[in-house]
Amino acid sequence: MRRRSWFLLVLAVVIFSVAGLAYYLFPIVLTEIDWLVSEETERPEVAPEDVAVELPSDLDLDYQLPEDLRERLEVSRRQQQAYFEQARAAHEAGRLAEAERIYQRVLGTSGLDRFAALAYRYLGDIQTAREQFERAIQLYDYSLDVIDTFPETYYRRALTLEEIGQSQPALEDLNLAIQLAPEPLFLFARGNWYLGRGSFSEAIEDYTRGLGKDQFTTEFYFNRAMAYYRQGRRESALDDFSRVVEISGDSSVNYQAHKARAQIFLDQDNLSAAENELRQARQQQMTPLVLYNLSLVLSAQNNYQEALDNIEQALPLEITRPDILSSGQIYMQLGYLYEQTGRYAKAVDAYLEANNYFPEEHKILFAVGRLYEQLDNHSMALNYYRQILEDEDPEEFYQQLIYRRVGEIWLEREQPDRARPAFRNVLELNPTEDEAHYNLGVAYFRENIFDRAITAFSDAVRLFPESEIYRYDLARALFLHGERAQAREQFQTVLSYHENHIDAQKMLSFIEYNWGMMDSAARGFKLSLEASLDEQETAWMLLQLGNIAMYKNDFTEAMAYYQEVIETYQLPEAYYNLGLCFLVQEKWDRALSVFELALEKGLETDKIRQGLGYLFFNRGLYQTAQGQFERAAELAPADLRAQYNLYRINRWMEELNDD
């Protein structure tokens, strides 16, 4: 008997990823799972004596015939039956042409109507096998003209009507078959008719009626589970798929049921349960599809190495469902996992293989460009980005990404003048892209074009006012442009968002220090010291606190800060400031000891020499003081204070000599 598969619907189900994997390149969108409604099911043979309905007897009129005619008719009937049995044997052996000739002899021999009806039906089957559907339907019509109570004939005509798109007449024939004999096969076929057209309640009703009749039990549970799923009744679907797993000894059906359960668990964001089902499906059949889907589920849980192991196993296997999964998709997943595990060169190779299958996919070229950035090969990265931009119709999404990345590459390569056009291109595509405004501001800032940097940073802040980074860099640009009041306001706003922003606190304290707001500045510097700073920042803060203390004539506190910097960081500025502390207090010897100690340690600076100049001048050692100021001017020829002090001491000495 020829197998039929029109009623074995294929439901392709898309599995969606649920974790981080919000990675714009690879939405982890899992591939479609090829749910088969069931394996192809053999239709049971229906011999004349097995017909489910009572047939009319065409022997009842024999008694009215003359005896010799009855005998001749009996011989003809026996010949008809013999022909029928020969035809069936040839048919079952696949010798269709021979079977067709003998069925014609059955029809040309007088005898029982049921053999004629069955001969027409099987001739219809032969035409269906040859895809001569119109002729097959005509033969089924002839069969039903002879006997219209064979449910199997209605069923077979329904299948053939469906082949030529006559769905409603097909349903009517299935209804007639079920009215005559509600057999599981007919209920199963009608349930699938309803399932394929979205009439899920009717499909469920037919599948439920067919259960328990010892035929197609697995298929009924499987298809009813699918109907439940399409209705949104996922728990009922899970129950039926579980029954399929329990009762089916067929590894193929188990495989499909486990994949279906995996889909339901993914719908419920239960990745671990979905993973377990896919592992069991893999035990049943290690196919590229299940390995690919398992790899996607594992990668969605950041289990990249095991995900990689699975996808590498899928690569050499033959792909039997290219409509659902292609080698290109496997190479894309392989590239993604090589990237996630830091094997960037291998990731490039995998993505380029994927590009052979999907040459129009911009996301592949973008991924390759991004990987070359990871490999510090910016030239190759720019080359692949350029290929996308040179496409006749590049996707705007990737245009923005690429222009942004190109700009960032030029910033990383310290070429802000080449970065600016890229960020402007982003803004032409999307004027509300706050990050592009910000990066444009960074480019201007690095070129010391502070007025334009302020404009760009201000646009970024306007679009995303909660960003402390945008406000902080705006404040820095304002500060360097001399707009200290506005800078102070922005630093304060940054601290209102993030009170532990040390850089903002430090800059705010520096502004207040220069404005003479010593108490506020000191509080800010002390807060900054509580954070984890590097040595240079810590020393700078301690120096400022010492200066504030000296400004307030608290020499003891000032000297403590300066001494801490000297002992810990050996900064010349600390020696100079500590020496000044002693000079202000007229502790000449101690000041001299501090300055001389700095020189002994090789920390000669113009300020140390100026400090010695002040010291000797106040001690009346004018020539010695003059020598110190001369040395200070040599060390810092561009320093106005050093040059001014040298000028003043020279004038002093001239006036002194004149007197």
Side-chain angles (χ1 to χ4, degrees):
M1 175 59 64
R2 178 179 179 271
R3 295 185 176 186
R4 302 292 299 148
S5 62
W6 70 272
F7 57 88
L8 303 181
L9 304 176
V10 176
L11 177 63
V13 180
V14 179
I15 301 179
F16 293 94
S17 162
V18 292
L21 256 274
Y23 187 55
Y24 57 83
L25 273 176
F26 302 104
I28 300 187
V29 176
L30 305 190
T31 191
E32 297 175 338
I33 285 184
D34 56 332
W35 279 11
L36 298 180
V37 173
S38 74
E39 297 302 305
E40 290 189 350
T41 307
E42 288 283 3
R43 292 184 312 219
E45 298 297 343
V46 183
E49 62 272 21
D50 294 330
V51 176
V53 295
E54 183 178 353
L55 297 176
S57 174
D58 37 11
L59 296 176
D60 295 341
L61 301 179
D62 287 357
Y63 72 93
Q64 300 176 7
L65 299 176
E67 183 176 351
D68 62 331
L69 187 56
R70 284 202 307 272
E71 289 176 358
R72 289 168 59 193
L73 182 58
E74 183 61 31
V75 171
S76 180
R77 287 172 176 169
R78 285 196 296 269
Q79 183 63 57
Q80 183 193 45
Q81 182 172 356
Y83 283 145
F84 183 82
E85 291 171 356
Q86 292 173 26
R88 292 299 299 129
H91 197 165
E92 291 176 357
R95 302 191 303 271
L96 300 186
E98 178 185 344
E100 187 176 22
R101 287 193 301 272
I102 302 174
Y103 283 134
Q104 294 291 348
R105 292 177 187 173
V106 172
L107 294 173
T109 304
S110 298
L112 297 176
D113 289 348
R114 62 185 176 187
F115 286 119
L118 290 172
Y120 278 126
R121 179 204 299 172
Y122 291 126
L123 283 169
D125 290 347
I126 291 172
Q127 294 304 315
T128 299
R130 295 170 177 166
E131 298 187 356
Q132 299 296 318
F133 301 122
E134 297 287 352
R135 176 60 178 157
I137 292 170
Q138 188 179 45
L139 289 165
Y140 293 137
D141 291 344
Y142 293 159
S143 176
L144 291 169
D145 286 342
V146 177
I147 297 178
D148 63 359
T149 55
F150 275 155
E152 177 80 5
T153 308
Y154 288 109
Y155 165 71
R156 296 182 190 218
R157 188 171 68 176
L159 303 186
T160 311
L161 286 166
E162 186 71 14
E163 292 283 3
I164 61 173
Q166 297 291 322
S167 297
Q168 194 58 38
L171 176 61
E172 292 170 3
D173 272 359
L174 289 174
N175 290 338
L176 288 170
I178 291 169
Q179 288 173 15
L180 291 168
E183 292 298 313
L185 180 64
F186 310 149
L187 290 166
F188 187 67
R190 191 173 68 177
N192 291 338
W193 191 97
Y194 285 130
L195 179 62
R197 287 155 183 82
S199 299
F200 304 123
S201 296
E202 290 82 354
I204 290 167
E205 181 180 351
D206 274 346
Y207 295 143
T208 303
R209 285 180 64 189
L211 282 169
K213 296 189 178 183
D214 299 325
Q215 283 184 300
F216 319 126
T217 302
T218 300
E219 288 80 358
F220 276 117
Y221 276 124
F222 199 109
N223 287 18
R224 189 174 71 172
M226 289 181 60
Y228 281 138
Y229 179 83
R230 296 289 297 277
Q231 265 193 332
R233 297 165 64 182
R234 287 174 169 73
E235 292 303 323
S236 297
L238 277 174
D239 290 342
D240 274 2
F241 283 129
S242 297
R243 291 190 181 97
V244 171
V245 171
E246 292 169 4
I247 65 178
S248 174
D250 185 341
S251 62
S252 176
V253 176
N254 266 277
Y255 166 80
Q256 298 295 345
H258 283 303
K259 285 200 301 177
R261 284 172 57 83
Q263 171 66 66
I264 294 171
F265 285 128
L266 283 170
D267 292 343
Q268 298 171 342
D269 293 343
N270 191 340
L271 287 177
S272 59
E275 175 191 336
N276 180 61
E277 294 296 332
L278 288 170
R279 288 184 186 279
Q280 293 187 63
R282 185 182 61 181
Q283 290 178 358
Q284 297 291 336
Q285 292 185 28
M286 189 174 286
T287 66
L289 184 62
V290 75
L291 289 168
Y292 177 80
N293 283 333
L294 180 56
S295 174
L296 290 172
V297 170
L298 289 167
S299 61
Q301 298 175 86
N302 300 326
N303 189 350
Y304 297 121
Q305 187 55 54
E306 190 176 358
L308 180 60
D309 294 340
N310 276 274
I311 202 66
E312 286 180 330
Q313 291 180 64
L315 195 59
L317 299 179
E318 180 184 1
I319 293 177
T320 58
R321 293 296 306 276
D323 56 318
I324 293 178
L325 176 68
S326 73
S327 296
Q329 289 169 282
I330 291 178
Y331 277 116
M332 285 181 67
Q333 173 70 354
L334 190 63
Y336 171 73
L337 292 171
Y338 279 140
E339 182 179 357
Q340 294 303 311
T341 53
R343 305 172 207 185
Y344 300 131
K346 282 192 168 186
V348 167
D349 292 340
Y351 280 134
L352 291 178
E353 285 289 343
N355 191 56
N356 292 330
Y357 293 88
F358 307 116
E360 304 300 321
E361 281 286 353
H362 291 157
K363 67 181 176 183
I364 298 175
L365 294 177
F366 183 80
V368 173
R370 193 181 64 247
L371 284 164
Y372 273 118
E373 287 190 58
Q374 295 292 336
L375 293 166
D376 292 326
N377 191 337
H378 288 158
S379 296
M380 287 296 290
L382 291 170
N383 177 54
Y384 279 98
Y385 292 151
R386 195 175 298 114
Q387 287 185 46
I388 298 175
L389 295 176
E390 291 173 354
D391 190 282
E392 291 182 0
D393 186 25
E395 296 177 50
E396 186 174 308
F397 173 74
Y398 284 105
Q399 281 185 283
Q400 289 189 53
L401 284 178
I402 289 167
Y403 283 130
R404 184 185 306 152
R405 286 305 307 139
V406 168
E408 290 168 356
I409 287 173
W410 289 122
L411 283 180
E412 290 168 14
R413 298 175 75 170
E414 301 297 333
Q415 297 186 52
D417 59 319
R418 302 187 72 173
R420 285 189 277 111
F423 295 128
R424 287 199 195 96
N425 285 332
V426 177
L427 293 172
E428 285 181 9
L429 294 168
N430 183 5
T432 61
E433 173 60 69
D434 57 276
E435 189 174 351
H437 284 290
Y438 171 73
N439 284 330
L440 182 60
V442 171
Y444 280 126
F445 188 92
R446 292 185 184 180
E447 294 180 275
N448 296 325
I449 308 175
F450 297 119
D451 56 340
R452 294 192 177 183
I454 290 168
T455 300
F457 288 143
S458 296
D459 287 335
V461 168
R462 173 177 53 79
L463 293 166
F464 186 15
E466 295 80 12
S467 172
E468 63 189 61
I469 295 174
Y470 295 174
R471 284 191 181 275
Y472 175 72
D473 281 348
L474 172 60
R476 285 202 308 154
L478 289 165
F479 177 83
L480 293 172
H481 199 239
E483 301 178 44
R484 302 297 172 85
Q486 293 183 50
R488 178 171 180 259
E489 180 182 338
Q490 292 298 332
F491 285 131
Q492 287 175 327
T493 304
V494 172
L495 289 168
S496 71
Y497 292 148
H498 181 28
E499 62 182 9
N500 295 322
H501 196 298
I502 301 305
D503 290 330
Q505 182 64 69
K506 182 172 62 176
M507 292 298 295
L508 178 63
S509 299
F510 183 77
I511 292 172
E512 292 174 340
Y513 172 80
N514 282 280
W515 283 2
M517 302 170 65
M518 296 303 178
D519 290 338
S520 178
R523 283 195 300 272
F525 287 137
K526 288 177 181 178
L527 284 172
S528 299
L529 281 173
E530 293 176 2
S532 177
L533 303 171
D534 60 29
E535 291 186 356
Q536 185 177 1
E537 287 181 323
T538 300
W540 187 85
M541 296 286 181
L542 291 170
L543 278 174
Q544 305 315 311
L545 287 169
N547 294 342
I548 291 171
M550 190 163 70
Y551 176 85
K552 296 167 68 174
N553 294 323
D554 188 343
F555 299 115
T556 301
E557 183 176 351
M559 288 189 293
Y561 282 122
Y562 296 144
Q563 195 66 45
E564 183 178 351
V565 177
I566 289 171
E567 292 173 358
T568 307
Y569 306 106
Q570 293 293 315
L571 291 184
E573 293 89 342
Y575 285 98
Y576 173 72
N577 289 5
L578 181 59
L580 286 184
C581 246
F582 289 126
L583 285 178
V584 171
Q585 298 175 79
E586 298 184 354
K587 296 180 179 181
W588 316 114
D589 292 338
R590 297 194 65 179
L592 180 61
S593 297
V594 171
F595 293 138
E596 288 179 340
L597 180 61
L599 294 175
E600 288 175 10
K601 292 183 176 294
L603 302 176
E604 182 185 19
T605 66
D606 64 293
K607 288 188 176 181
I608 294 293
R609 289 298 182 181
Q610 288 186 63
L612 286 167
Y614 297 144
L615 171 63
F616 291 130
F617 184 85
N618 282 285
R619 297 288 298 275
L621 302 172
Y622 303 126
Q623 288 185 341
T624 305
Q626 186 180 29
Q628 295 297 329
F629 285 127
E630 287 175 351
R631 178 59 180 158
E634 290 175 7
L635 291 171
D639 185 83
L640 292 177
R641 183 177 294 278
Q643 298 300 325
Y644 177 75
N645 285 336
L646 177 59
Y647 171 78
R648 290 297 304 275
I649 191 65
N650 288 338
R651 289 294 305 273
W652 175 270
M653 293 297 293
E654 290 173 3
E655 292 175 3
L656 187 64
N657 291 333
D658 290 343
D659 292 341

